[in-house]
Amino acid sequence: MSLALTGLGVTSGIAIGRVHRLTPGELSIPEYHLDHDAVAAEIERLRQAFGRGEHFFQRLLDRLGAGGAETARELLEAHRLILRDPLLIEATEERIRSERINAEWALVQQSEQLQNEFRRMADDYLALRREDLEQATSLVQRELADQPGTLIGSEVPHQLADTIVVAEELGPAEMTVLAQRKVAGLITEHGGPWSHAAILARSLEIPMLVGVHNALDLLGESEPIILDGHYGAVLAGPDDSLLGHYRDKREAWQRRRLDLRRYLGRPSRTVDDHAFTLLGNADLGPEFQRCLESGVDGVGLMRTEYLYLDHSQPDEDSQYRAYRAAVEIMQGRPVTIRTLDAGGDKLPTILAFAQGPNPALGLRGLRLSLAMKDLFRQQIRAILRASVHGPVEILLPMLTSIEEVRQARSFINACREDLRAEGEKIDPELPVGGMIETPAAALIADQLAAELDFFSIGTNDLIQYVLAIDRSDELVNYLYDPTHPAMLMLLRRIQQAGRRHNISVTVCGELAGNEQTARLLLGLGLDRLSMPPAALPAVKRSLLEADSRRCRAEVEAYLDGRSDHADGLALLKSLNDPSRDD
Amino acid sequence: MIERTLTLSNRLGLHARAASKLVRTADRFEAEVWLEHDGRRVNAKSIMGVLLLAAPCGTELLVVCEGPDEDQAMEALASLVDARFGEDQ
């Protein structure tokens, strides 16, 4: 091997392919919001681009004449019909109107949605039509960019199944186009795990590394490389034995993924008929789509930080549109929206002015929202307004005291009254829940349960605060142990408080999305889990094949010091031992 | 508004060429034309809508036309379907 680079793996997949270095502008599709009075002109621009595209195909057809080859004629005819298709044109216009976005961006979104429908048809012929749609759309994109039509012919290879794209940074539209072309993997020099691109890569299960310094300088065009998301490594110039090893690994991973999909349609009940509930975590449109496809019972955690990535203060209307879109995609399944959880490791930029000496213990989560009431008001109003379109719940992050809950609830009530006075319709029963992720909140769970409509346990933060270790600190991360008895005792305490007050308790965070720990949670009586949709199939299988009574008995015995398991690891091993499943 | 049920008797149903011919035929008329099958209703002037209907041979397709030339549109579509879209079988 000639070179190894490291970065942060966003997904744990493996990609093998040749490098394509994406130069700025090569694929750029502009994205911007429109002023109200610019909408009509934008729609006209879109129509003209479609018109020119159709005209282009018509001229080709005319030139082909009657003697032209039948297949060429059919292909051109198919493209021409797509370019006058109301499902594409009118729906794109509607996006421009309702979301007030530019034509290019609206077209990418509409095309993506239609392509998803074609994908769902699981028919080889229709799969080809999906490609027609993609090509026809790219012609219109070029027209929109005021470039005269050349048939397809972008510099980016059309099929990227064996290509790993290396870029400085990637935007959401670029991600969409790359995903449509089935890119094998992605490497960026900048961007963190919470960038748009990273979130999309996770939801689309594209192997991706971020933060690979100088990747564009160090990786040559067409150079064969291996991307290992699990170890966060790029291996350049691999020899045959390494390639073979990774091909096997990739194949095993893909086989397993397909295998697991079989469990998705089954009712969520353990072998001893204990019902459990699986929910999805999602931020952006495609992830909600994935949640729906995975058969979730709802979205247990919609994070909202990404809304604040582009603008330091997204206005109420743009937030409302994002929440409404999410609610509509979920078709009546509840969506739990977590209010801004900035601070700590997340998005320090919008807090530049409010950064204390220790961000993890500083102005973050609900504390920040209560300190910045204008920001909070916009978000609450947007959520309340979205609640008429389907079931919505509000989740308050980073609680430590009852006083915070009372303040937040009275603030929410005030917003509700304002909206009512303005004549807006809102869901009068909208539940308000709290994130239990600090030791304080866990210890006073009983009192909090009396003030809240539901609990959600954020295990990642809770573990760090309980064990007093920062996972990203390499000197202490060996102490990071989700099965530490202190952690399990707190989880049991929270679950019991929820049961006593008859409110639901959902676990989100990595423990919920890990097939190894799902049974541990089941054993603690925590049977509502929210996770990234990609994790759902494996967790579902693990729980379908579990015996809830056995899990419960084993975990209880372990916590009471009555079991012979030496540590949490041994407990996990026993809980997941397939020979004990029956 | 007029409605008529047509039965697809060509071998491949509303696939490939048949869909394209149907859309081009519907497109010639001013009337709005809708197709219904299996609880799904699509615009007959939308190639993607028609393809996504995925109506196989033997399907009973409900055609709805509405507009000044609705009779002519229905007539043209009925004869296209009856002629099995000009396919050999």
Side-chain angles (χ1 to χ4, degrees), chain B residues 53-67:
Chain B
L53 262 191
C57 178
T59 297
E60 301 216 320
L61 203 60
L62 180 70
V63 184
V64 182
C65 300
E66 182 167 18

Side-chain angles (χ1 to χ4, degrees), chain A residues 471-485:
Chain A
R471 266 180 102 166
S472 58
D473 184 338
E474 290 172 17
L475 298 175
V476 293
N477 65 10
Y478 71 97
L479 288 168
Y480 186 88
D481 175 15
T483 63
H484 191 293

Side-chain angles (χ1 to χ4, degrees), chain A residues 269-504:
Chain A
R269 290 182 170 276
T270 60
V271 285
D272 58 325
D273 209 32
H274 181 91
F276 56 90
T277 303
L278 299 184
L279 305 154
N281 297 351
D283 314 59
L284 293 167
E287 283 190 302
F288 289 92
Q289 204 66 47
R290 289 288 308 278
C291 281
L292 203 63
E293 286 163 14
S294 305
V296 297
D297 299 304
V299 168
L301 178 63
M302 174 180 185
R303 287 169 293 244
T304 57
E305 289 74 62
Y306 83 91
L307 289 168
Y308 297 79
L309 279 174
D310 293 339
H311 338 271
S312 52
Q313 293 219 6
D315 62 16
E316 181 186 318
D317 278 346
S318 65
Q319 289 196 54
Y320 161 71
R321 286 193 295 269
Y323 303 145
R324 177 184 170 169
V327 169
E328 284 176 346
I329 293 175
M330 294 314 294
Q331 302 170 8
R333 293 166 188 78
V335 177
T336 303
I337 304 176
R338 184 177 70 186
T339 60
L340 180 62
D341 191 17
D345 55 340
K346 292 169 208 137
L347 308 174
T349 45
I350 72 165
L351 299 171
F353 58 95
Q355 193 77 277
N358 186 345
L361 305 179
L363 189 62
R364 53 173 300 189
L366 183 62
R367 300 169 186 176
L368 176 80
S369 293
L370 290 175
M372 298 172 72
K373 291 271 172 58
D374 288 340
L375 202 70
F376 197 34
R377 182 174 297 110
Q378 281 177 350
Q379 182 162 37
I380 295 297
R381 284 175 60 99
I383 297 174
L384 289 171
R385 281 170 59 198
S387 70
V388 283
H389 301 288
V392 168
E393 304 177 349
I394 293 180
L395 177 59
L396 306 168
M398 268 299 282
L399 302 176
T400 48
S401 75
I402 304 234
E403 191 43 39
E404 285 168 330
V405 174
R406 291 190 180 146
Q407 273 185 44
R409 289 206 82 139
S410 83
F411 190 82
I412 293 168
N413 284 336
C415 291
R416 206 185 308 232
E417 289 314 312
D418 287 349
L419 283 168
R420 241 182 237 139
E422 291 163 30
E424 290 272 357
K425 278 200 221 104
I426 45 175
D427 173 1
E429 312 263 283
L430 186 138
V432 177
M435 199 88 181
I436 308 299
E437 53 192 331
T438 63
L443 289 167
I444 59 164
D446 250 312
Q447 284 112 297
L448 287 174
E451 307 270 335
L452 289 163
D453 302 319
F454 64 92
F455 277 167
S456 191
I457 308 176
T459 56
N460 299 8
D461 274 329
L462 189 56
I463 296 169
Q464 302 206 58
Y465 288 126
V466 167
L467 302 183
I469 54 143
D470 180 346
R471 266 180 102 166
S472 58
D473 184 338
E474 290 172 17
L475 298 175
V476 293
N477 65 10
Y478 71 97
L479 288 168
Y480 186 88
D481 175 15
T483 63
H484 191 293
M487 199 43 209
L488 301 188
M489 284 176 197
L490 282 181
L491 288 176
R492 178 163 68 173
R493 191 183 177 90
I494 301 166
Q495 189 271 337
Q496 288 170 346
R499 203 187 46 206
R500 267 196 293 276
H501 292 268
N502 201 20
I503 63 172
S504 70

Side-chain angles (χ1 to χ4, degrees), chain A residues 74 77-78 80-82 84-88 114 117-118 121 123 125-126 129 133, chain B residues 15-17 19-21 23-24 27 40 43 45-49 51-54:
Chain A
E74 268 175 37
E77 188 62 52
R80 190 185 71 85
L81 288 178
I82 288 172
R84 50 180 298 127
D85 193 317
L87 262 184
L88 185 59
L114 284 169
E117 283 192 43
F118 276 98
M121 299 297 288
D123 173 318
Y125 173 75
L126 288 179
R129 302 287 74 77
L133 169 61
Chain B
H15 233 212
R17 276 180 228 181
S20 161
K21 278 185 185 163
V23 171
R24 274 179 289 157
D27 223 7
R40 197 167 172 156
N43 186 340
K45 298 180 183 182
S46 159
I47 183 68
M48 286 180 282
L51 284 171
L52 287 169
L53 262 191

Side-chain angles (χ1 to χ4, degrees), chain A residues 70-105:
Chain A
E70 197 57 26
T71 43
R73 170 170 286 284
E74 268 175 37
L75 179 78
L76 293 173
E77 188 62 52
H79 279 61
R80 190 185 71 85
L81 288 178
I82 288 172
L83 290 185
R84 50 180 298 127
D85 193 317
L87 262 184
L88 185 59
I89 304 177
E90 286 165 20
T92 306
E93 289 176 9
E94 183 48 36
R95 281 178 192 270
I96 295 175
R97 246 189 308 272
S98 65
E99 297 173 41
R100 272 200 238 153
I101 54 177
N102 62 311
E104 288 91 340
W105 193 3

